[in-house]
Amino acid sequence: MKIAFIGLGNMGGPMALNLHKAGHAVSAFDLSAAACDALRAQGVAIAASASAAVSGAEVVVSMLPASAHVESLYLGEAGLLAQIAPGTLVIDSSTIAAATSRKVAEAGAARGIAVIDAPVSGGTGGAIAGTLTFMVGGNEADLARARPVLEKMGANIFHAGGPGAGQTAKICNNMLLGILMIGTSEAIALGVANGLDPKVLSEIMRRSSGGNWALEKYNPLPGVMETAPASKGYAGGFGTDLMLKDLGLAQENAMAVKASTPLGGLARSLYAAHSLAGHGALDFSSVIRMVQKAG
């Protein structure tokens, strides 16, 4: 299958590579020359532009930072929806506002192009291993077409509902993740301040009622878990500013539907303060630095 992949960051790069390894003819593009070079070195064909990447593609996959980038890529006279052929399937795995996903899906439908929103969970480790969870918004027939592609990048595929539903599920998940990471960081920092071994404490909590994904896969304290970003200088994971963006989306949505999310709002404020302190580019688990005892 000929697949265009737009957006080769920490998540998109490994996803595109997995499609290439699965035997698909991938034509990839990113504005970052370094990102393109990294994929080219592993045998992935790099296009000169997004327009060139989608030429003749049966499926277009995108993984971009925010709503503005997705709208700019797909909509308007110069957008990709005006360039790709009717019948093409578009899978947008960016985490953006549900309203934006619906807007792009409607524009695609008007041109005979199927568009589904399929944001992911599982982090960079899941992207590399091909074990991501996809939360899909769109109709069932379009999801059925997308499954052979999604299955090469993920282990779990959920149909959340119509257009935009995947985005809603994603912001609910990431709001919970942001809250859990702060709570996990506070608990570990408290234990360490009392002289406990962080590895022992983390294992106790992991196997007890406080167990959660952060303790299982993503411990926020350096040296506790070799594979976690915390043990790699908080590099290469899910950035604080990206978590802040997702928590902002959750709060905007909560206001729109008059839902009460006090912990989500507090979490957003804490990540905002962490970003303002100069840690926006670090993995979001670096939020533990806010609550660690000095010395």
Side-chain angles (χ1 to χ4, degrees):
M1 188 180 297
K2 186 171 182 182
I3 300 174
F5 203 110
I6 313 298
L8 307 175
N10 291 337
M11 296 294 291
M15 292 165 69
L17 181 60
N18 283 334
L19 291 174
H20 168 72
K21 289 178 177 178
H24 293 294
V26 177
S27 180
F29 178 74
D30 194 285
L31 292 174
S32 166
C36 289
D37 289 343
L39 265 290
R40 184 184 288 112
Q42 298 184 78
V44 179
I46 302 299
S49 65
S51 295
V54 303
S55 178
E58 300 166 72
V59 177
V60 177
V61 183
S62 51
M63 175 60 92
L64 302 177
S67 295
H69 303 102
V70 173
E71 289 201 29
S72 176
L73 179 68
Y74 286 111
L75 302 180
E77 293 183 4
L80 293 187
L81 291 181
Q83 302 175 46
I84 58 182
T88 303
L89 173 65
V90 172
I91 303 171
D92 180 42
S93 288
S94 315
T95 297
I96 59 176
T100 299
S101 288
R102 289 191 291 268
K103 183 177 181 180
V104 175
E106 290 171 3
R111 293 178 175 271
I113 298 167
V115 180
I116 64 172
D117 49 292
V120 303
S121 179
T124 53
I128 293 169
T131 57
L132 293 169
T133 292
F134 285 91
M135 310 164 203
V136 181
N139 70 53
E140 292 184 2
D142 294 334
L143 173 55
R145 290 179 60 196
R147 279 188 183 276
V149 176
L150 299 179
E151 287 171 351
K152 301 304 181 184
M153 300 182 287
N156 304 290
I157 301 169
F158 292 98
H159 187 205
Q167 300 295 353
T168 301
K170 176 64 187 289
I171 63 172
C172 291
N173 178 79
N174 275 25
M175 182 178 73
L176 179 59
L177 174 60
I179 294 167
L180 286 174
M181 185 58 76
I182 293 170
T184 299
S185 296
E186 288 186 356
I188 292 174
L190 176 61
V192 170
N194 279 278
L196 296 184
D197 182 322
K199 289 187 177 181
V200 174
L201 175 60
S202 293
E203 185 64 10
I204 289 171
M205 294 191 296
R206 186 180 76 85
R207 294 179 178 271
S208 302
S209 55
N212 63 67
W213 186 82
L215 290 169
E216 289 279 352
K217 307 279 188 183
Y218 221 83
N219 197 289
L221 194 69
V224 174
M225 190 174 288
E226 290 184 8
T227 57
S231 297
K232 303 173 184 178
Y234 296 105
F238 184 63
T240 293
D241 282 344
L242 288 175
M243 174 57 79
L244 181 58
K245 179 206 74 173
D246 290 359
L247 290 169
L249 290 173
Q251 290 307 294
E252 290 171 9
N253 184 276
M255 288 188 288
V257 299
K258 295 182 172 60
S260 177
T261 55
L263 290 181
L266 178 57
R268 185 194 176 284
S269 294
L270 291 173
Y271 283 106
H274 189 50
S275 177
L276 286 172
H279 307 301
L282 297 181
D283 183 79
F284 80 106
S285 61
S286 63
V287 73
I288 194 172
R289 291 181 173 180
M290 294 185 70
V291 295
Q292 281 178 300
K293 184 178 179 180

